[in-house]
Amino acid sequence: MIERALVADDENLSREFLKDALESLGIEAVAVPDGEAALRMTGEKDFDHVVTDMRMPKLDGTGLLKKLRAKGCDTPVVIVTAFGTVESAVEAMREGADDFLHKPFSVDQIEVLLETLEKRR
C-alpha cells in the first residue's frame, strides 16, 4: 500500500496538482521544486514512490533517477513530462524508471498508474 510519495517538479502548478492528486488518493505527499531537493528528502524520509518531472533545473528527473539507483534506492520512480518523446521514455526506462507519464494527465490516470505499480511489487 502506498502511504508516502515524493513529488519533484519545478513548475508550481504542476507540483501542487500532483501533490493534491496524491493526497486525494489518501497518500501523504511531500513536494519539492527540483531534483537536488528530492535527493536530499530521500535521505531524510522513506517514500513508497517518487514522481519526478523530467526537465528541472539543478538536477533533472533522469539525473535524480540515476543518483537514486546508484545509491541502491529501489523505490518506484515515475517520470512525468510535457516534452516526452518515445526516445526519452525509453531512456528513462533504461535508467530504471518504473513508468512514464505525459502531461497533462488526470487524477484517474495517476491512480491507475500507481495501482499498476503496486501490483508489480
Side-chain angles (χ1 to χ4, degrees), residues 1-120:
M1 174 173 215
I2 303 167
E3 295 180 16
R4 183 183 296 147
L6 176 61
V7 173
D9 196 321
D10 62 316
E11 296 175 13
N12 290 333
L13 289 175
S14 182
R15 184 173 61 246
E16 288 304 312
F17 172 78
L18 279 165
K19 183 178 187 299
D20 291 346
L22 291 166
E23 289 175 345
S24 77
L25 298 171
I27 298 167
E28 177 188 344
V30 176
V32 296
D34 60 63
E36 285 183 357
L39 192 59
R40 283 192 304 275
M41 286 301 297
T42 62
E44 297 171 13
K45 293 183 178 184
D46 291 327
F47 294 95
D48 300 303
H49 282 78
V50 174
V51 181
T52 180
D53 190 25
M54 181 172 276
R55 291 188 182 180
M56 294 183 291
K58 298 183 183 179
L59 181 62
D60 67 12
T62 305
L64 172 61
L65 175 63
K66 288 178 184 178
K67 288 184 181 269
L68 289 173
R69 296 302 184 241
K71 72 177 196 174
C73 178
D74 64 351
T75 301
V77 175
V78 176
I79 303 280
V80 296
T81 186
F83 307 101
T85 63
V86 172
E87 292 81 17
S88 58
V90 169
E91 178 190 353
M93 300 302 269
R94 281 188 186 143
E95 294 296 336
D98 292 272
D99 219 319
F100 193 86
L101 193 57
H102 291 277
K103 293 179 184 178
F105 46 82
S106 68
V107 175
D108 290 340
Q109 287 173 292
I110 295 169
E111 183 175 26
V112 168
L113 173 71
L114 294 177
E115 286 173 357
T116 301
L117 291 175
E118 278 300 295
K119 289 177 185 174
R120 290 183 198 163

